[in-house]
Amino acid sequence: VPSALCCPSRASILTGKYPHNHHVVNNTLEGNCSSKLWQKIQEPYTFPAVLKAVCGYQTFFAGKYLNEYGAEDAGGVGHVPPGWSFWYALEKNSKYYNYTLSVNGKARRHGENYSVDYLTDVLANMSLDFLEYKSNFEPFFMMIATPAPHSPWTPAPQYTKSFQNVSAPRNSNFNIHGKNKHWLIRQAKTPMSNSSIQFLDDAYRKRWQTLLSVDDLIEKLVKKLEVNGELDNTYIFYTSDNGFHTGQFSLPIDKRQLYEFDIKVPLLVRGPGIKPNQTNKMLVANIDLGPTILDIAGYDLNKTQMDGMSLLPLLRGDKNVTWRSDFLVEYQGEGYNGSDPTCPGLGPGVTHCFPDCVCEDSYNNTYACVRTLSASWDLQYCEFDDREVFVEVYNLTADPHQINNIAKTIDQEILEKMNYRLMMLQSCSGATCRTPGVFDPGYRFDPRLMFSNHGLRARRFSAQFL
């Protein structure tokens, strides 16, 4: 994902654009999450809007839309975004009980009775109803966005005893000091306290428990499609909006970081023309989902302003496909200007300091990265928008868990090329986001185009987010 945070990532799925083009930078209205500006500038051009208006699809949405959806200052739950024939959207952020749904613009309140209110099951039932009663004379598109496995990690009653012996993975980057990394990572307490480890293991277990209800939902939908005789003619995409860390580099629990554990998500696809049991190693991002679905619908992608690419040639196993070798990751850090009496050692400018006063975000946790995957390099190059323009570089072939920052030892020419490529991607739009990467044969690099003044580089970096 180009941004490891819910709202920017979901906006990328809907628009097929990088965050610097859809301008959703965090989970707040001020950060353009479901704001009036988002509704005016981006919503009319999302891929569901095109599916419905141009391609003649009946469209169905159920679940979590954007974190601030339903906010009074942005039209409340009466606002139904263009592009949806049937709209069952959760007001604001993730819940399992005691929530409000916008049912085609009308508020419907739910309580805490499992049999009628557990949100994952409610979404499943609504989805099954749609498949039962939809028109058979129009193609259909469904987007089902379960809050699970998001916090507060409330499993269904029948699954509360599942996975009792499961704990978070103990990879080589678990509970170690993030040396040679950005200061926010270095400030984490190593080793973690027993209470932090217990907290993250418990959260990991509960997340798995909540996903058992998602498994049930998917099973019911697949069986319904099969009964309807539509399974063999339907594409199913299964993915997420961001990753999540549990103890890596002694960060107890959150997302928002540039590392694989936060930016990498599952993507499973089945459908017509896709051979089973295949794994494709090409570098794909969530900005590709919109173009792919429009391509399936027969829409001319040249008519869009999307930054992503259609995955359809990859899914069908086409030979000689020209594909990207890199993509952009970008994030604008959030902070809190007040002080926290429970965290006396940490001043203003940080946030999400839990548990045990380990802060997971800050204003200058603002970065941009080029993630490269080619025949010769599996590399990540990142720059922070801070006073020192801190750089992190990882060779994931030799160091898959990103323990060793090689920014000071890697070949200077590679650094310069990656720096220039990063600037290109940060200002890209549409087709220019799909130009050859540093390790593509068609890449052209002119050192004279490099900025020699790093101060100028940093100012340009921050301007991208305004």
Side-chain angles (χ1 to χ4, degrees):
V1 298
S3 187
L5 189 62
C6 324
C7 206
S9 187
R10 288 164 182 266
S12 286
I13 292 172
L14 290 162
T15 62
K17 295 178 181 180
Y18 282 120
H20 70 266
N21 287 329
H22 61 59
H23 305 294
V24 179
V25 297
N26 58 41
N27 291 344
T28 68
L29 277 178
E30 296 75 19
N32 205 28
C33 181
S34 207
S35 68
K36 289 278 194 181
L37 185 67
W38 155 266
Q39 293 171 17
K40 179 180 177 181
I41 304 296
Q42 300 298 338
E43 272 188 347
Y45 306 102
T46 62
F47 78 85
V50 177
L51 279 181
K52 184 172 185 287
V54 183
C55 304
Y57 273 65
Q58 49 192 324
T59 55
F60 170 94
F61 182 88
K64 177 181 172 180
Y65 178 58
L66 300 174
N67 296 57
E68 284 295 325
Y69 172 75
E72 285 188 21
D73 291 347
V77 296
H79 170 70
V80 178
W84 300 105
S85 316
F86 302 91
W87 178 253
Y88 303 96
L90 177 67
E91 180 189 35
K92 299 212 174 171
N93 205 359
S94 304
K95 290 185 176 180
Y96 296 80
Y97 295 107
N98 297 310
Y99 54 86
T100 297
L101 289 179
S102 170
V103 180
N104 298 316
K106 304 293 185 187
R108 180 186 293 173
R109 179 76 184 157
H110 280 262
E112 50 190 29
N113 179 343
Y114 169 72
S115 62
V116 293
D117 295 320
Y118 188 69
L119 183 53
T120 309
D121 294 348
V122 170
L123 299 180
N125 293 334
M126 289 173 165
S127 303
L128 292 171
D129 283 347
F130 171 74
L131 289 176
E132 178 68 24
Y133 298 113
K134 68 178 175 60
S135 165
N136 290 324
F137 301 102
E138 297 172 311
F140 70 92
F141 169 74
M142 306 177 72
M143 189 171 188
I144 306 160
T146 66
H150 200 286
S151 64
W153 314 304
T154 310
Q158 67 269 32
Y159 296 134
T160 55
K161 297 290 191 289
S162 302
F163 307 120
Q164 288 301 302
N165 297 320
V166 167
S167 56
R170 265 50 171 179
N171 293 330
S172 55
N173 56 8
F174 180 82
N175 201 13
I176 65 169
H177 184 252
K179 60 181 181 180
N180 299 323
K181 290 179 167 46
H182 194 237
W183 75 269
L184 185 69
I185 310 300
R186 297 198 305 267
Q187 58 85 34
K189 299 171 182 174
T190 308
M192 291 183 288
S193 66
N194 289 337
S195 60
S196 280
I197 293 174
Q198 184 176 349
F199 179 81
L200 67 88
D201 277 339
D202 187 48
Y204 190 85
R205 192 177 306 114
K206 287 179 179 175
R207 290 169 68 219
W208 275 30
Q209 291 170 355
T210 68
L211 285 173
L212 289 173
S213 294
V214 179
D215 282 355
D216 293 340
L217 178 154
I218 293 166
E219 182 180 18
K220 290 171 185 173
L221 286 175
V222 171
K223 285 183 175 177
K224 183 65 175 175
L225 288 167
E226 196 167 28
V227 168
N228 287 359
E230 295 177 316
L231 183 59
D232 292 339
N233 194 37
T234 302
Y235 287 91
I236 301 175
F237 292 76
Y238 180 95
T239 188
S240 187
D241 52 1
N242 52 254
F244 205 65
H245 56 257
T246 45
Q248 289 88 348
F249 304 128
S250 299
L251 300 170
I253 193 160
D254 199 45
K255 47 217 173 193
R256 308 165 196 271
Q257 308 305 334
L258 56 89
Y259 309 103
E260 291 285 279
F261 44 73
D262 282 3
I263 66 170
K264 201 170 183 178
V265 297
L267 176 61
L268 299 126
V269 190
R270 62 164 292 165
I274 303 178
K275 295 178 181 176
N277 303 315
Q278 293 184 96
T279 301
N280 193 305
K281 297 290 188 183
M282 293 294 192
L283 195 57
V284 304
N286 67 8
I287 56 173
D288 300 330
L289 295 172
T292 303
I293 292 165
L294 290 178
D295 196 12
I296 289 170
Y299 188 74
D300 181 0
L301 296 180
N302 292 322
K303 295 180 179 178
T304 76
Q305 298 297 313
M306 294 182 173
D307 303 331
M309 306 167 68
S310 171
L311 304 176
L312 202 52
L314 299 184
L315 297 175
R316 289 176 172 166
D318 293 356
K319 304 299 181 186
N320 301 319
V321 178
T322 300
W323 199 253
R324 71 163 68 88
S325 64
D326 63 16
F327 77 96
L328 176 69
V329 181
E330 51 190 349
Y331 177 66
Q332 180 171 324
E334 292 182 80
Y336 173 62
N337 284 326
S339 59
D340 184 347
T342 64
C343 273
L346 290 163
V350 297
T351 188
H352 288 77
C353 303
F354 68 91
D356 292 329
C357 195
V358 175
C359 296
E360 300 268 4
D361 205 1
S362 65
Y363 285 128
N364 70 357
N365 184 41
T366 296
Y367 57 79
C369 309
V370 181
R371 180 72 180 88
T372 288
L373 188 61
S374 66
S376 52
W377 282 99
D378 187 355
L379 192 72
Q380 187 169 8
Y381 171 90
C382 302
E383 290 186 12
F384 282 83
D385 183 18
D386 59 11
R387 289 176 183 171
E388 54 182 330
V389 192
F390 193 81
V391 175
E392 295 188 28
V393 183
Y394 299 98
N395 177 353
L396 282 93
T397 304
D399 180 22
H401 294 127
Q402 297 168 291
I403 295 169
N404 300 308
N405 178 8
I406 58 171
K408 293 182 178 176
T409 58
I410 195 170
D411 184 85
Q412 185 66 25
E413 184 182 357
I414 292 178
L415 276 183
E416 290 178 358
K417 285 183 176 181
M418 297 301 282
N419 172 274
Y420 179 57
R421 178 63 177 162
L422 180 61
M423 286 190 287
M424 290 174 64
L425 285 174
Q426 277 188 275
S427 57
C428 77
S429 179
T432 58
C433 297
R434 305 188 290 271
T435 54
V438 169
F439 299 105
D440 287 333
Y443 181 75
R444 297 290 177 263
F445 172 64
D446 183 350
R448 292 172 298 179
L449 297 174
M450 293 292 298
F451 285 110
S452 58
N453 184 328
H454 263 292
L456 177 62
R457 172 76 186 90
R459 285 196 296 276
R460 170 186 168 77
F461 186 30
S462 59
Q464 292 298 321
F465 293 103
L466 297 178

